[in-house]
């Protein structure tokens, strides 16, 4: 063996440019590979794990190169395709590889000196043969339940700590402490069991006799219990029992009170297992779907991404399933991206029905161990009959998995903003990255939506994407009827009950009387109070931008969120001179409360951030609604996402104006998307549904386009405004935010930074300005927005910005000012 001296470049989990060079001990020469994790010392005391991005003989140009302390993996955990993507992300989104690595690796793979270990539940001292070091750690953990890696290293001397911990994890002696979001941890199902007393036939007959006379509904439920296979040993799922006996939970409660049944919760597998898989060839596409399907292939053959613009319920998912089968037949991997919230069991089970265990789910809030398992399976993917997880369903971070042979990427609901990571860096957009990743793998890419983002539709119009349209719902179901209810008329005639107009109240009553269900949508976003004339409903608008002015309470001033233009709070309406200027806005909680007052018999549930914080709550609320234990679902945009309920016949959009006047150049686009999407929940099966939009602006072009379900006209009306005000998709945006605790220092810092860039960008640099929320967690924020033509050389522009930021950071005066960059902010 020749005695080469090798060096490795290591990506460390730090927000700094570049990689760090270390020397490889000679005896490890044959064991170092790109993509492995190594343990290194950083600075004087810190030990960290990092990732090898390069193995080289080139001697680094500084002295005293440290040795790597150990190698964590036998085989690489990251492949070259990923490293290429990370590099691309850094260049495009102006961030650092360490940040991308942090976002990509599941936390169990990111051991750091602050990571903690604890004894595993499965560990039993006497059944385990322990090495001396292992024994020392176990002993320490019996005194102090959690140890950081640095504490462990103090106990045993740090050189071997990481490999040791790794084997201890593999031997199930210790586990890494995970931070879990408990609501995604496990699924619990309610079960109904027969109480001991009624196990005897005699007692049961007595009960039945009694129920026959006075409580027929309860009798029916007891019978259904037996029909469903329940007895002394076997329990029955509560929702199935309710459905079978066609009763509600009060009946069940009565039987529980009588001591007949008891109800308990049991943990069940998140995913149903499917004994018999359904063959994809059993899906018969309709003629229209078949045409679309062929056109999609045409686009792929031309080497273009496809934009599938299909109305809600047109069968986009069925088409995806067919495409997935084709990719699997070619032995390739599939990535199916979905918005964060829409990652429900509905869609997962639908895919599992066809692809069984080939489907894996990767979600940022699944437990870390589940994510590591998926990561490893994807990494080791080799196509065989039984290979698991060939199809990954995931939210945005799934784009960072170690795919080696992607054949197809699907981005469903591509318009959704959750594909964009906002904080922390890397602030990437998984939809846009899918184009890049697709190119690296030679994979087909399909974006689907009923309401495409303007960016994607523009790309399709420019022939960068291949556009395919599906304009009819499956099964001849008609698009819902949209009724616009003029709130001015309702108010004038004093027909309003709380925030409900008479049209909506009547429709809800009728729907509930028909034993159908209602969804009420109110998209209240906390900080944006709007000022409005109580007489003519004038709303102050910015003179420079196509957005409404926002009231800033602390400063008592009207301000534009985008360019910083300010004006005094008007004391009278400039258009009708009324002094009746009012603050507006009400939220979902208020709607729920009002509903109880207006229709007391309606069983109502609320789906928003506040009600879904606790364990299982999101899925429970949806399950209860699906099982028809609730009649009305009130919610924020959470209720708009891909949910498929059979009995929803009425959808109410309570305050369309609130969305339309949101201070953002995308407000109209978003409003259209939200209204169209939530409308899509009405009447998916059987008879046509009804949507009631409550508004003070019944002739508003956005609303008129929702009424006619005319996306294309809407797009064509809005795009000239985007061009006029230099917004995407014609222009690209880069948002730079500075944060600091001291108001004055932040001001000087922001101004000095802007001054360096202003000569280059001139009027296309806006700010520095305070955003609507100008202080968060005691940090003041100032933002600078840069616009440039999409045909400009963006790499050159970004290089320049990057250079300025690096030199800004080196300036001692501003060192502590936090600066963040958001490329393509949304
Ligand atoms: P989208 O994804 O466009 O909202 P889906 O694929 O969910 O539409 O289709 C809506 C409903 O119609 C689903 O219940 C689906 O099973 C059914 N459906 C659509 N196309 C077909 C088909 N070709 N054969 C059978 N059922 C279909
Ligand atoms: Zn007025
Ligand atoms: Zn403005």
């Amino acid at each position: 063996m020749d005695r080469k001296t090798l060096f490795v470049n290591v990506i460390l989990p730090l927000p700094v440019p570049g990689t760090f060079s270390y020397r490889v001990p000679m005896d490890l020469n044959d064991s170092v590979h790109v993509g492995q994790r190594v343990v290194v010392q950083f600075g004087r005391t810190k030990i960290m794990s990092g990732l090898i991005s390069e193995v080289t003989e080139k001697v680094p140009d500084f002295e005293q190169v440290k040795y790597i302390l150990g190698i964590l993996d036998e085989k690489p955990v990251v492949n070259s395709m990923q490293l290429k993507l990370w590099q691309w992300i850094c260049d495009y989104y102006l961030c650092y590889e360490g940040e991308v690595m942090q976002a990509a690796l599941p936390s169990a793979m990111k051991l750091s000196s602050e990571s903690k270990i604890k004894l595993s539940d499965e560990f039993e001292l006497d059944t385990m043969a322990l090495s001396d070091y292992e024994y020392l750690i176990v002993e320490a953990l019996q005194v102090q339940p959690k140890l950081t890696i640095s504490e462990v290293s103090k106990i045993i001397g740090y050189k071997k700590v990481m490999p040791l911990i790794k084997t201890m994890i593999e031997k199930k002696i210790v586990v890494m402490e995970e931070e879990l979001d408990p609501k995604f941890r496990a699924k619990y199902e309610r079960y109904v069991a027969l109480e001991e007393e009624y196990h005897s036939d005699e007692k049961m007959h007595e009960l039945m006799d009694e129920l026959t006379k006075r409580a027929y509904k309860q009798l029916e439920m007891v019978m259904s219990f037996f029909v469903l296979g329940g007895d002394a040993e076997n329990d029955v799922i509560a929702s199935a029992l309710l459905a079978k006996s066609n009763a509600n939970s009060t009946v069940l409660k009565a039987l529980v009170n009588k001591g007949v049944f008891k109800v308990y919760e049991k943990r069940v597998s998140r995913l149903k297992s499917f004994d018999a898989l359904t063959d994809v060839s059993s899906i018969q596409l309709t003629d229209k779907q078949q045409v679309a399907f062929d056109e999609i292939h045409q686009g792929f053959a031309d080497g273009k991404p496809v934009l599938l613009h299909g109305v809600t319920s047109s069968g986009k998912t069925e088409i995806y399933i067919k495409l997935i089968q084709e990719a699997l037949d070619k032995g390739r991997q599939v990535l199916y991206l979905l918005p964060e919230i829409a990652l429900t069991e509905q869609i997962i089970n639908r895919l599992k029905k066809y692809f069984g265990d080939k489907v894996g789910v990767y979600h940022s809030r699944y437990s870390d161990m589940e994510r590591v398992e998926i990561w490893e399976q994807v990494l080791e993917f080799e196509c065989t009959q039984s290979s698991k997880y060939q199809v990954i369903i995931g939210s945005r971070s799934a784009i960072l998995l170690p795919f080696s042979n992607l054949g197809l990427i699907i981005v469903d609901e591509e318009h959704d903003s959750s594909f964009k990571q906002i904080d922390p860096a890397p602030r990437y957009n998984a939809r846009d990255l899918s184009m890049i990743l697709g190119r690296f793998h030679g994979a087909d890419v399909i974006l689907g939506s009923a309401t495409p983002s303007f960016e994607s539709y523009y790309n399709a119009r420019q022939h960068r994407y291949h556009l395919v349209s599906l304009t009819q719902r499956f099964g001849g179901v008609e698009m819902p009827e949209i009724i616009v209810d003029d709130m001015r008329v309702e108010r004038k005639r004093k027909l309003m009950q709380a925030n409900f107009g008479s049209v909506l109240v009547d429709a809800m009553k009728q729907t509930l009387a028909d034993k159908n269900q209602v969804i009420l949508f109110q998209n209240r976003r906390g900080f944006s109070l709007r000022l409005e004339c109580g007489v003519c409903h004038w709303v102050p608008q910015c003179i420079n931008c196509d957005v409404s002015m926002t009231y800033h309470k602390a400063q008592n001033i009207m301000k534009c969120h985008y360019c910083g233009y300010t004006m005094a709070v008007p004391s009278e309406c400039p258009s009708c001179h009324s002094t009746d200027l009012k603050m507006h806005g009400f939220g979902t909680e208020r709607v729920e409360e009002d509903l109880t007052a207006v229709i007391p018999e309606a069983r109502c549930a609320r789906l928003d951030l506040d009600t879904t914080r606790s364990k299982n709550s999101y899925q429970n609320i949806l399950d209860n609604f699906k099982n028809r234990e609730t009649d009305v679902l009130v919610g924020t945009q959470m209720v708009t996402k891909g949910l498929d309920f059979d009995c929803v016949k009425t959808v109410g959009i309570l305050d369309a104006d609130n969305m339309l006047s949101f201070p953002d150049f995308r407000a109209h686009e978003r409003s259209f998307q939200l209204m169209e999407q939530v409308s899509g929940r009405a009447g998916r099966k059987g008879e046509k549904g009804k949507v009631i939009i409550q508004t003070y602006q019944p002739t508003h072009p956005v609303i008129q386009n929702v009424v006619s379900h005319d996306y294309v006209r809407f797009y064509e009306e809005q795009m000239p405004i985007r061009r006029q005000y230099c917004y995407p998709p014609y222009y690209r945006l880069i948002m730079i935010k500075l944060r600091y605790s001291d108001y004055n220092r932040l001001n000087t810092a922001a101004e000095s930074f802007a001054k360096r860039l202003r000569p280059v960008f001139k009027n296309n640099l806006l700010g520095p300005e305070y955003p609507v929320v100008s202080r968060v967690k005691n940090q003041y924020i100032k933002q600078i927005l840069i616009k440039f033509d999409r045909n400009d050389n963006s790499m050159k522009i970004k290089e320049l910005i990057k250079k300025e930021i690096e030199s800004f950071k080196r300036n001692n005066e501003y060192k502590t000012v936090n600066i963040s960059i958001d490329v393509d902010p949304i």
Side-chain angles (χ1 to χ4, degrees), residues 283-286 289 310-320 350 412 474 644 684-685:
I283 299 175
Q284 286 287 323
L285 295 182
T286 63
Q289 289 170 344
V311 298
T312 50
S313 208
S314 56
K316 294 185 289 299
T317 316
E318 303 286 318
I319 289 178
Y320 300 149
R350 213 162 141 191
D412 197 10
F474 175 75
D644 198 355
R684 285 176 75 92
K685 298 257 161 65

Side-chain angles (χ1 to χ4, degrees), residues 771-789:
V772 173
V773 182
S774 62
R775 195 171 71 148
V776 177
K777 288 181 189 151
N778 279 323
Q779 298 269 309
Y780 290 93
I781 306 168
K782 274 216 146 166
Q783 62 189 30
I784 295 166
L785 184 67
I786 292 170
K787 301 179 178 182
F788 56 95
D789 195 298

Side-chain angles (χ1 to χ4, degrees), residues 278-287 289-294 296-297 300 308 315-330 332 334 336 347 350-351 354-355 391 407-408 410 444 446 474:
T278 312
D279 203 283
V280 172
S281 62
S282 68
I283 299 175
Q284 286 287 323
L285 295 182
T286 63
D287 290 349
Q289 289 170 344
Q290 188 63 45
V291 171
F293 192 64
D294 295 340
I296 290 169
H297 280 114
F300 290 164
L308 175 59
K316 294 185 289 299
T317 316
E318 303 286 318
I319 289 178
Y320 300 149
I321 291 169
K322 288 259 184 200
L323 293 171
I324 292 171
Q325 184 63 56
E326 290 180 346
L328 295 184
D329 290 342
K330 291 186 201 137
R332 306 188 70 185
V334 176
Y336 190 136
I347 184 74
R350 213 162 141 191
L351 291 199
Y354 294 102
F355 308 113
V391 182
L408 176 67
I410 299 164
D444 296 326
I446 181 166
F474 175 75

